[in-house]
Amino acid sequence: MPVTIVVGGQWGDEGKGKIVDALSAGFRAVVRYQGGPNAGHTVVRDDRRLVLHQLPTGILQADVHCFLAPGVVLDPWALRQEIDELHSAGFNSEMLVISPACHVIMPWHRDLDGCQEDRAGGGAIGTTRRGIGPCYIDKTARRGIRFADFVDEERLRHRIEAHRESIDAQLMQAGKPVLDVEALLEECRPLMRELIDYLGDSARPVRNMLEAGEAVLMEGAQGTLLDVDWGTYPFVTSSNPLAGGACTGGGVSPMTVERVIGIFKTYQTRVGNGPFPSEFQDEAFHDEFRQRAGEFGATTGRNRRCGWFDLVAARHSARINGLTDLVFTKLDILSGLPDIQVCVGYRVGGEVLEDFPEDSALLEGPVEAVFRTLPGWEGDLSRASSLEELPKNARAYLDFLSAEMGCRIGWVSTGPGSDQVIRCP
Ligand code: IMP
């Protein structure tokens, strides 16, 4: 009954789209277990670039079942647009199933997310403004709207009316107009009709597949350092991207998990605010690197902050996820640098931390990254089909990271194309 979980090992944007796309052909089902339209999974197919936000990446395979499980928050307006774009690109959405228990991002969630960010000024999280936080707040406050409510007008009306007072109070506080329930229902009606066909249970069919010995892939969004419990709180998303989230949000038993694959860029990036000890300090180098690496957000287009690989955070990620395999992406971006730095400690108040602090607020004050320097390498990596074919120093860099993280290397990505990947035996 093998379940494989794919997680982002860093602050998201590790290149999960390409890897899950390549992996998914070997699975019977792909399940998204958390997050929502804040994600942006980029897949390049025949020179066409597709960005998936809510749909599981397996949707690009004709015969892979795709589920949005209860841990996901779903924006029906954005989903309809994504499905339209999928169809225009020549793919179909017939294999998609949306759990009745997925929570729905309503327009007021988006409004509140934006207002809260605007009002927070310098203390803003730097969210994607897609309504993720406010939707998860309503979920845990037990006043949310779930997908089964959304596609049934009477249930939807009832849920909105039951919590209208609190929604209106929040909207007024944010300086927004209060709800016009009839106008909102009018706006929802066509979506209900279009999306109701996707309504279906996720856990039971997945369990049946596992019992029949078929393989299932759990696809995480964002990354471990954005996990609401184990990331750099409060500069995190509002869900659990880490492997444990696949069991709670995705509904699979921990006993069925065989592999946990952690995806890491060979350097570090982050969008939004919050601590980033290994961030590049030299502005000119930072800008040049960002351009060369194309580090602009797939969902919001924002500049990504870039830095050296953070091994302290990566070891935390390996342990907390129980990683069995590592995938390193964008190795080609580092080619040509005279030397490569790796952050191996955080100097905080005269003490060097080699373990990621559970009180991550310690990283919000002055932190100096302690670096170890490794020699760089030259040359085009895109033709390499095995680790042995990489330049000696590139291989040594990857071996150092994997030894320190205590996990084997599964794949190494050396360019955006689907063929630019080294698959280790
Ligand atoms: P939210 O998930 O929109 O609430 O944003 C919270 C934090 O997570 C912000 O720093 C976002 O930039 C970050 N974030 C959310 N989704 C992603 C993602 O898919 N990749 C990278 N960062 C993300």
Side-chain angles (χ1 to χ4, degrees):
M1 306 196 296
V3 166
T4 297
I5 304 174
V6 173
V7 293
Q10 298 160 313
W11 277 294
D13 308 321
E14 298 90 353
K16 293 182 288 293
K18 168 178 167 173
I19 304 301
V20 176
D21 182 42
L23 277 172
S24 56
F27 287 82
R28 188 81 178 115
V30 177
V31 182
R32 261 285 298 270
Y33 59 85
Q34 47 70 231
N38 47 352
H41 294 172
T42 307
V43 181
V44 178
R45 280 280 185 89
D46 311 323
D47 290 336
R48 276 179 311 162
R49 189 171 171 273
L50 277 154
V51 183
L52 299 171
H53 298 284
Q54 304 189 82
L55 294 168
T57 306
I59 203 79
L60 304 181
Q61 308 289 341
D63 52 357
V64 173
H65 295 272
C66 288
F67 296 93
L68 295 179
V72 167
V73 290
L74 176 85
D75 180 333
W77 287 265
L79 183 68
R80 176 174 54 184
Q81 189 184 336
E82 200 174 328
I83 291 176
D84 286 347
E85 285 166 10
L86 183 81
H87 293 167
S88 314
F91 298 95
N92 74 63
S93 52
E94 279 163 21
M95 301 296 260
L96 177 67
V97 172
I98 304 175
S99 164
C102 283
H103 278 253
V104 173
I105 299 175
M106 296 297 285
W108 65 81
H109 292 132
R110 271 183 261 126
D111 287 346
L112 293 173
D113 196 358
C115 286
Q116 281 156 9
E117 284 289 279
D118 289 340
R119 290 197 172 170
I125 306 292
T127 72
T128 58
R129 296 173 177 249
R130 298 291 193 268
I132 308 297
C135 183
Y136 277 114
I137 289 172
D138 279 352
K139 169 179 172 169
T140 40
R142 294 164 294 190
R143 58 180 182 226
I145 290 169
R146 304 205 291 177
F147 188 59
D149 303 321
F150 185 82
V151 292
D152 175 326
E153 185 166 341
E154 277 323 297
R155 277 175 70 168
L156 180 59
R157 183 191 296 278
H158 174 75
R159 292 296 292 169
I160 295 174
E161 290 294 357
H163 300 290
R164 187 175 182 171
E165 222 172 282
S166 103
I167 301 165
D168 280 348
Q170 292 178 72
L171 286 170
M172 279 192 290
Q173 209 195 359
K176 293 276 175 187
V178 296
L179 284 185
D180 176 342
V181 178
E182 291 313 316
L184 179 62
L185 289 172
E186 184 68 38
E187 204 192 316
C188 293
R189 243 168 245 135
L191 280 167
M192 294 172 188
R193 285 194 293 270
E194 281 176 47
L195 297 180
I196 195 166
D197 287 347
Y198 297 108
L199 177 71
D201 287 355
S202 60
R204 189 178 33 78
V206 166
R207 196 170 53 242
N208 291 344
M209 289 173 199
L210 292 173
E211 280 171 9
E214 291 172 321
V216 172
L217 182 70
M218 309 299 289
E219 179 183 14
Q222 290 82 50
T224 303
L225 302 176
L226 289 172
D227 187 277
V228 68
D229 292 308
W230 296 99
T232 46
Y233 189 89
F235 301 97
V236 291
T237 192
S238 299
S239 64
N240 290 112
L242 53 76
C247 299
T248 51
V252 290
S253 153
M255 305 307 287
T256 60
V257 180
E258 192 173 66
R259 292 167 78 198
V260 184
I261 303 176
I263 320 271
F264 292 80
K265 266 182 200 156
T266 47
Y267 49 93
Q268 202 88 15
T269 63
R270 148 160 234 176
V271 264
N273 303 325
F276 185 172
S278 65
E279 187 168 12
F280 296 138
Q281 296 303 314
D282 178 326
E283 273 315 305
F285 178 72
H286 200 160
D287 285 346
E288 186 267 324
F289 187 95
R290 179 185 298 117
Q291 286 294 340
R292 186 151 56 93
E295 292 296 353
F296 304 97
T299 298
T300 57
R302 290 179 291 175
N303 278 359
R304 292 183 185 143
R305 300 157 64 191
C306 306
W308 298 112
F309 192 90
D310 184 342
L311 194 51
V312 182
R315 278 195 302 249
H316 164 67
S317 191
R319 292 177 194 134
I320 209 98
N321 286 302
L323 299 183
T324 57
D325 302 73
L326 300 173
V327 172
F328 288 114
T329 61
K330 298 189 95 165
L331 183 64
D332 50 308
I333 299 298
L334 299 182
S335 286
L337 294 173
D339 47 43
I340 313 282
Q341 314 263 23
V342 180
C343 173
V344 293
Y346 305 143
R347 186 169 287 116
V348 182
E351 198 192 336
V352 175
L353 307 179
E354 289 181 354
D355 281 327
F356 193 82
E358 198 155 317
D359 178 11
S360 63
L362 289 177
L363 304 180
E364 287 171 37
V367 185
E368 196 192 321
V370 178
F371 288 112
R372 173 162 169 172
T373 305
L374 299 177
W377 60 86
E378 301 273 350
D380 175 15
L381 310 182
S382 59
R383 298 245 169 91
S385 58
S386 68
L387 293 179
E388 289 70 30
E389 289 171 36
L390 289 173
K392 182 169 80 35
N393 289 346
R395 173 80 199 262
Y397 176 59
L398 299 180
D399 285 345
F400 171 67
L401 299 184
S402 79
E404 289 287 320
M405 291 162 73
C407 309
R408 62 181 175 240
I409 302 174
W411 291 7
V412 179
S413 169
T414 54
S418 52
D419 53 336
Q420 291 169 315
V421 66
I422 297 171
R423 298 169 194 236
C424 305

